Amino acid sequence: MLPFVLFPSMGEYPVYNDAVYDGLAAPDARSRAYDAALRAAAPGRVVLDVGTGRDALWAVAAARAGARHVYAIEAAPAAAAAARAAVDLSGFSRQITVLEGWASHQVLPVRAEVCVSEIVGNIASSEGAIPILNDCRQRLCTPGCVWIPFRARTMIAAVDVGTPSLDPSCRLLMDRVIAAAGGASGLRLCLGGPAWSALVSSPAVVESDVFDSRVLPPISDMSVEVELVAGKATGLLLWTRVAVASSGREVDTLDGGTRAWAPVYLPAPLAGRVRVGFSRRTSDDGVHPDYLLTVDGVTVWRSPHHVSSSSRTP
């Protein structure tokens, strides 16, 4: 069996480093899909970029595609400063305004006609895309706004990965994630290695959230139960598939076409026909979801976004 390693899921927490941003900036199937969607939607329109990041990737791409103006929002102060520098370097500083802070705190002079974001997590909803984008839809965007991405899904399957080890180079990053979460309870660990080769069941969909002005906005809290028929498995794998536009191929975490997302692994030995329950509930910060997974009615994984003072134990 090929060796697998574990490393912490980072997108939900303010612990991004240059290595993460370098991965996001890499040319891949995801970046090509975003570029194509912006070339189709942005010309002549006002664009909102939510979570623009260190390189203001999609803000610059929208300006290059001919957007009338781009408002690029970034919550992390250091990333916002780097985004301003990237915009200046791009030559589009007159077309792009970088706004520092949470999207919920922003007011735009005009409503956006296109909203682009990449606040899609390793579990699709984990970075708080649903409440954040629903708020943008209500306050910052036009009724007919074009949404990029169009849909984000989370898949689940049983896998056999043996006994994966913690990537030793990630220990410092692990400490930063634990500090940001307030504890290690329900820590989300991603699987490094050829995860597609470890599947021992067909995949099922546990999240499917459509961002489209023609339909009702997705709801934050939900539960679903799916059936998996597995060979001998060491655990379950959750991963993201993103339809950047309403037509065209999905970008799949497992197909090797992007480094933007990684599959989340949880050990839960199982075999045969099992019922897996997946639920998400918005945490007390009003943005990020907490997750619960059951197998045949028994809780196997409880993963809050952060450990609150009221729930923390020795």
Side-chain angles (χ1 to χ4, degrees), residues 255-293:
D255 71 3
T258 182
R259 292 167 52 198
W261 306 296
V264 174
Y265 174 71
L266 56 135
L270 53 92
R273 190 180 301 273
V274 295
R275 300 293 298 179
V276 178
F278 173 93
S279 67
R280 70 182 182 216
R281 297 288 181 269
T282 307
S283 73
D284 57 9
D285 72 1
V287 176
H288 298 92
D290 299 335
Y291 298 107
L292 179 73
L293 267 176

Side-chain angles (χ1 to χ4, degrees), residues 114-246:
V114 177
C115 181
V116 60
S117 67
E118 206 168 12
I119 48 173
V120 174
N122 297 321
I123 302 171
S125 61
S126 62
E127 294 188 23
I130 295 167
I132 292 171
L133 296 182
N134 284 352
D135 174 69
C136 291
R137 177 172 175 160
Q138 183 177 357
R139 298 188 308 106
L140 304 179
C141 299
T142 61
C145 183
V146 176
W147 294 86
I148 304 169
F150 171 78
R151 183 183 66 220
R153 299 200 291 168
T154 298
M155 315 300 295
I156 192 168
V159 289
D160 180 6
V161 297
T163 306
S165 58
L166 182 67
D167 183 344
S169 68
C170 290
R171 288 192 177 273
L172 180 59
L173 194 55
M174 178 88 78
D175 290 342
R176 293 181 62 198
V177 169
I178 290 172
S185 175
L187 187 67
R188 297 166 199 166
L189 292 173
C190 295
L191 189 70
W196 58 268
S197 69
L199 268 60
V200 293
S201 77
S202 296
V205 180
V206 291
E207 292 185 314
S208 184
D209 296 304
V210 175
F211 305 99
D212 185 348
S213 298
R214 295 167 293 185
V215 300
L216 292 173
I219 58 174
S220 293
D221 295 357
M222 54 78 72
S223 297
V224 67
E225 190 174 72
V226 298
E227 184 176 82
L228 298 179
V229 180
K232 186 178 181 227
T234 60
L236 295 163
L237 201 68
L238 294 160
W239 74 94
T240 295
R241 286 180 179 171
V242 176
V244 177
S246 58

